[in-house]
Amino acid sequence: QVQLVQSGSELKKPGASVKVSCKASGYTFTTYAMHWVRQAPGQGLEWMGWISPNTDNPTYAQGFTGRFVFSLDTSVTTAYLQISSLKAEDTAVYYCARGHLTPKARLDPWGQGTLVTVSS
Amino acid sequence: QSALTQPASVSGSPGQSITISCTGTSSDIGGYNYVSWYQQHPGKAPKLMIYDVTNRPPGVSNRFSGSKSGNTASLTISGLQADDEADYYCNSYTSINTRVFGGGTKLTVL
């Protein structure tokens, strides 16, 4: 079955970097895009952006430019989210979600989420 | 891109029907039929319940239905069950080739 499995929780200090992975299985990785969604503690879902294997040109939502980088490694069917210069307000659960090769399409399925905690 | 507007909470008794609204603009909900709805239980990942305004993925109960009128989309749950108690989020494609979520609605089954 289609499945997205994310890497485990991370505890980082302010200023550090983190790379979250999202391993896909059960479908042809190169025929779907990957979206990233953030959920801060006790808050709602926030769409961060998406990356397509066709263009390899990520789109970032407002507020997620500069320190956030999406990437794909098709050889291991894995998507990555890297966040640099971490701040306390980056503390959140980060989800990957499969999309189609257009941002118009639905997000399904979702990974289980990765908790990133930023604290000194 | 501002978040779509949802009521913070709704409630209903078992067996009743409830409707959750999601209001946007002509640049998102009103301009496209690409509204989806997600259910999230506490501590769990979101799950797709409705896509392209009215479509249900395989395995989702037909008690869940979606609609749209103008700039407002709606999710209706009929025959409420205890397990429906969760947070619900709407999501829409936008005119600037992005997606945007609503603020979320907490459904309480009384």
Side-chain angles (χ1 to χ4, degrees):
Chain A
Q1 76 281 21
V2 177
Q3 198 172 8
L4 302 176
V5 178
Q6 299 185 225
S7 48
S9 298
E10 301 268 9
L11 174 60
K12 295 290 185 181
K13 293 188 183 304
S17 295
V18 69
K19 194 169 187 176
V20 176
S21 67
C22 171
K23 169 72 174 175
S25 61
Y27 69 96
T28 303
F29 186 72
T30 52
T31 59
Y32 290 85
M34 197 69 75
H35 295 245
W36 290 93
V37 176
R38 181 172 78 178
Q39 187 168 38
Q43 302 300 308
L45 303 176
E46 194 173 10
W47 187 78
M48 301 173 64
W50 73 302
I51 182 168
S52 167
N54 276 5
T55 67
D56 206 22
N57 183 24
T59 295
Y60 300 96
Q62 196 172 10
F64 294 101
T65 55
R67 298 188 300 114
F68 299 83
V69 177
F70 308 146
S71 61
L72 301 172
D73 186 337
T74 57
S75 68
V76 291
T77 65
T78 300
Y80 300 95
L81 163 65
Q82 183 160 2
I83 312 172
S84 58
S85 303
L86 283 163
K87 307 174 183 181
E89 50 264 41
D90 294 324
T91 294
V93 175
Y94 292 86
Y95 293 100
C96 59
R98 190 185 72 164
H100 290 248
L101 296 178
T102 162
K104 299 176 181 178
R106 58 200 178 272
L107 308 182
D108 180 53
W110 294 54
Q112 84 276 20
T114 296
L115 174 62
V116 175
T117 303
V118 183
S119 174
S120 54
Chain B
Q1 187 74 36
S2 299
L4 306 174
T5 300
Q6 298 181 233
S9 62
V10 298
S11 62
S13 299
Q16 287 186 331
S17 294
I18 63 95
T19 296
I20 299 172
S21 62
C22 173
T23 301
T25 69
S26 58
S27 295
D28 39 65
I29 291 177
Y32 309 93
N33 288 323
Y34 297 116
V35 178
S36 47
W37 289 88
Y38 300 87
Q39 176 192 64
Q40 187 180 35
H41 285 110
K44 301 295 187 182
K47 174 187 174 184
L48 176 70
M49 304 303 285
I50 295 288
Y51 68 96
D52 295 354
V53 179
T54 61
N55 295 314
R56 270 188 314 275
V60 172
S61 171
N62 58 10
R63 298 185 299 105
F64 291 82
S65 62
S67 63
K68 190 186 89 166
S69 177
N71 296 336
T72 298
S74 299
L75 173 71
T76 297
I77 309 174
S78 60
L80 269 180
Q81 299 177 359
D83 189 53
D84 298 333
E85 185 163 294
D87 294 326
Y88 291 85
Y89 295 90
C90 59
N91 180 271
S92 176
Y93 175 71
T94 81
S95 61
I96 55 173
N97 209 34
T98 62
R99 299 199 69 99
V100 61
F101 281 100
T105 298
K106 181 177 180 60
L107 169 61
T108 301
V109 180
L110 303 170

